[in-house]
Amino acid sequence: RTMPKDKASGKPQFEKKDYDVSPNVLCWLCWCPITYGFSLCTIPYKSILELGPEEVVKTDTTCCGKSTANMPYGELGHVGKSNCCCCVGFSSAFGPVTPGCGCEEALVMEIVEDMKQRQQGRGDQGQIQRQEAMMEEIETINTKLDAIMDHLKMERS
């Protein structure tokens, strides 16, 4: 699948996509207490994965509140399909995610493919941008250090 590219930068353009990766209500009621214990404050009954142009946002809603985690594509680590017994899901730096009741293989494959494309299109770019920012900071520090050495009339090596 070919992505449209930004005319100015040549980078792939990605539109925002939302995926509902919530567990099925029956699975949540039956399996989550067995798997995670009976603390309903830690078990999300609703999970939304938002694939933005530059980062992924995962929002989990529990009986006690809502939590949101943002992560640039370059920090996602390995993204791949995972199987546990007869259930299918995917994993990344967000941890394992099993949409529905673990039978949503088409959805899982779509999410994995989409995340990998965005990771390739943005992950490398994000690392390059961070390296460029670091190099600018080093250059600023070197300039300041040179000024201090000149002021103190110190020799440079």
Side-chain angles (χ1 to χ4, degrees):
R1 203 164 64 171
T2 307
M3 289 281 144
K5 295 194 181 235
D6 182 271
K7 291 178 181 159
S9 69
K11 295 190 307 188
Q13 285 183 315
F14 295 102
E15 293 184 15
K16 180 180 165 253
K17 270 189 181 177
D18 290 342
Y19 291 103
D20 186 346
V21 293
S22 305
N24 176 289
V25 174
L26 285 175
C27 290
W28 184 78
L29 289 172
C30 294
W31 291 109
C32 286
I34 294 169
T35 307
Y36 299 105
F38 288 94
S39 175
L40 295 178
C41 287
T42 61
I43 308 165
Y45 65 84
K46 182 149 187 78
S47 294
I48 301 295
L49 194 68
E50 177 188 309
L51 304 185
E54 302 293 332
E55 68 179 0
V56 184
V57 179
K58 184 172 183 265
T59 304
D60 289 329
T61 306
T62 67
C63 294
C64 299
K66 189 184 267 193
S67 66
T68 302
N70 302 30
M71 192 169 301
Y73 290 105
E75 296 177 15
L76 275 178
H78 173 73
V79 175
K81 177 182 160 189
S82 58
N83 294 331
C84 180
C85 298
C86 61
C87 296
V88 63
F90 65 94
S91 60
S92 69
F94 283 118
V97 178
T98 308
C101 219
C103 302
E104 306 285 338
E105 186 165 9
L107 176 63
V108 166
M109 292 311 295
E110 179 183 341
I111 293 170
V112 167
E113 182 181 316
D114 202 357
M115 287 176 78
K116 283 185 175 186
Q117 279 185 347
R118 290 166 188 258
Q119 213 175 15
Q120 290 170 354
R122 288 295 190 258
D124 292 340
Q125 185 62 32
Q127 286 181 347
I128 290 168
Q129 288 173 345
R130 284 189 292 281
Q131 286 175 345
E132 287 173 349
M134 190 183 325
M135 290 303 293
E136 287 177 17
E137 185 68 26
I138 290 171
E139 197 61 40
T140 302
I141 291 170
N142 282 338
T143 303
K144 290 177 181 180
L145 187 58
D146 286 344
I148 292 170
M149 291 176 77
D150 287 343
H151 178 73
L152 297 174
K153 298 180 180 21
M154 294 176 69
E155 288 186 34
R156 297 183 198 164
S157 51

